[in-house]
Amino acid sequence: MLVNAYSKKVFNLAYQFSGSRQEAEDMTQEIFLKLYGSLGKYDFGRNFTAWLLTLAKNHLIDEYRRTRWERTQRDELDERTMTQAAFDGPEKSLAREEDRKTVWKALGGLSTEIRATVILRDIQGLTYEEIADNLRLPLGTIKSRVNRGRLQLAAILRPGKGEEA
Amino acid sequence: MIGTHVEDMLSAYLEDELDGPRKAAVEVHLAGCQECVALLEAMRDTRDALASLPELEPSPGLLRKLYAIPERKKKFRPVLDFLLRPSLQPVFAGATGLMVFLSFLAFSPAGHSLQKNFIRQVHQGYGRAEKLYAKASAIPDEIGARKESLLGSLRSVDILRTGGEVE
């Protein structure tokens, strides 16, 4: 069933994109509504996950352009998330936790297109080719967006590290 | 100072995607630029931090709502199917045209003058209809008068004829 197979993926994409659990829940519902309404248009020759991801990403970007473009404030990282993250190892966990918090908040400052690309590459773990195929953009554009996104995030992360040193 | 040219290649360098000469060029630059080394480290930490953000589980409430979507769609499906029947399309098209015309009349300045003109025409038409009605109501009297005159003429012809026979 579609909900069993894809709800977690879509919810996490929406959460990483919006930074808010409540908004992610609302958007997941909207994406599933759209999905059920568009199933008739699905081309069976195409990878279903890629098709769903494109639909979800387009919805997220459209929504943010339409109503929430000014929003940059993100929720604190979920407590349960941090507890899970602590399994990385005791020596690294504190520094990593700080990095995660900083990067998580900084994601909200990226433009919608760059944010979507960075999330797909660095959080969802898609290859550049898969992202280019999903977003129907040239490979070079995707690589350039990921690089720009990482540079912007790194510029926010770097002063913090400088202070620690 | 951070080299813009090198900056553009840092992600590719980080992922070991550069060809030999470009990789060597970046390494030469990094050997003499502590700022770019720090930036590369920060990019690596950024990438690691993003990759280690764990996935959340959707709440049971959200899952319940998602499971209910196909049922909700089924519930409204017959109404939707009825409304989207091709045979109703001319009705919707007509209604849309009428609405557009009424909106034009109600809200556009040209519509106002058209409306005035229309009302004037209606009044003129009403006046003409009244005149026609008045004329029409006079027709029975006229017919009656003509009938009387005709009957009178026939009577006089009759009298003449009978008078001739007596003689």
Side-chain angles (χ1 to χ4, degrees), chain A residues 32 51 94 129:
Chain A
F32 268 83
W51 178 75
L94 266 175
E129 287 76 15

Side-chain angles (χ1 to χ4, degrees), chain B residues 1-2 5 7 20 34-35 42 46-48 50 67 69 73 81 123 133 135 139-140 143 150 152-153:
Chain B
M1 186 186 160
I2 295 172
H5 184 61
E7 202 177 82
Q34 279 310 301
E35 211 171 338
T46 299
R47 197 186 58 163
D48 292 348
L50 288 168
Y67 285 125
I69 290 174
K73 283 191 96 71
D81 286 345
H123 278 292
Y133 181 73
K135 273 186 188 171
I139 287 174
I143 290 172
L150 187 66
S153 307

Side-chain angles (χ1 to χ4, degrees), chain A residues 5-161:
Chain A
Y6 296 105
S7 58
K8 188 174 174 181
K9 197 169 190 65
V10 172
F11 171 70
N12 275 284
L13 185 64
Y15 181 56
Q16 289 146 7
F17 197 86
S18 68
S20 151
R21 194 175 251 276
Q22 186 53 53
E23 280 187 26
E25 293 208 348
D26 292 346
M27 287 194 290
T28 305
Q29 284 185 69
E30 289 163 16
I31 290 166
F32 268 83
L33 261 170
K34 219 173 205 178
L35 168 69
Y36 281 114
S38 313
L39 278 175
K41 294 178 203 161
Y42 170 61
D43 169 13
F44 283 91
R46 207 176 159 200
N47 177 309
F48 184 80
T49 310
W51 178 75
L52 170 61
L53 211 60
T54 308
L55 186 138
K57 186 270 316 170
N58 286 342
H59 180 81
L60 293 171
I61 290 181
D62 288 350
E63 267 302 291
Y64 266 76
R65 278 199 187 130
R66 196 168 62 82
T67 59
R68 303 167 203 178
W69 58 269
E70 76 288 353
R71 183 187 157 93
T72 52
Q73 197 70 33
R74 292 163 74 86
D75 291 355
E76 290 294 326
L77 256 186
D78 198 296
E79 287 296 322
R80 284 163 289 186
T81 304
M82 299 315 294
T83 315
Q84 285 175 29
F87 287 114
D88 288 340
E91 74 285 351
K92 287 185 185 172
S93 66
L94 266 175
R96 282 202 167 201
E97 194 174 309
E98 278 310 306
D99 283 356
R100 263 193 289 268
K101 280 183 179 173
T102 309
V103 168
W104 172 255
K105 288 215 164 179
L107 266 176
L110 301 182
S111 73
T112 50
E113 283 82 4
I114 290 181
R115 194 188 325 163
T117 319
V118 167
I119 287 171
L120 292 176
R121 173 69 187 146
D122 285 340
I123 306 182
Q124 301 270 332
L126 270 66
T127 64
Y128 287 114
E129 287 76 15
E130 283 171 332
I131 301 170
D133 183 43
N134 288 345
L135 307 191
R136 299 191 176 196
L137 286 169
L139 194 60
T141 307
I142 300 298
K143 287 186 175 177
S144 158
R145 282 184 185 178
V146 170
N147 190 54
R148 267 165 36 211
R150 283 178 185 163
L151 282 169
Q152 286 177 40
L153 294 174
I156 295 167
L157 198 65
R158 193 168 45 158
K161 292 185 85 64

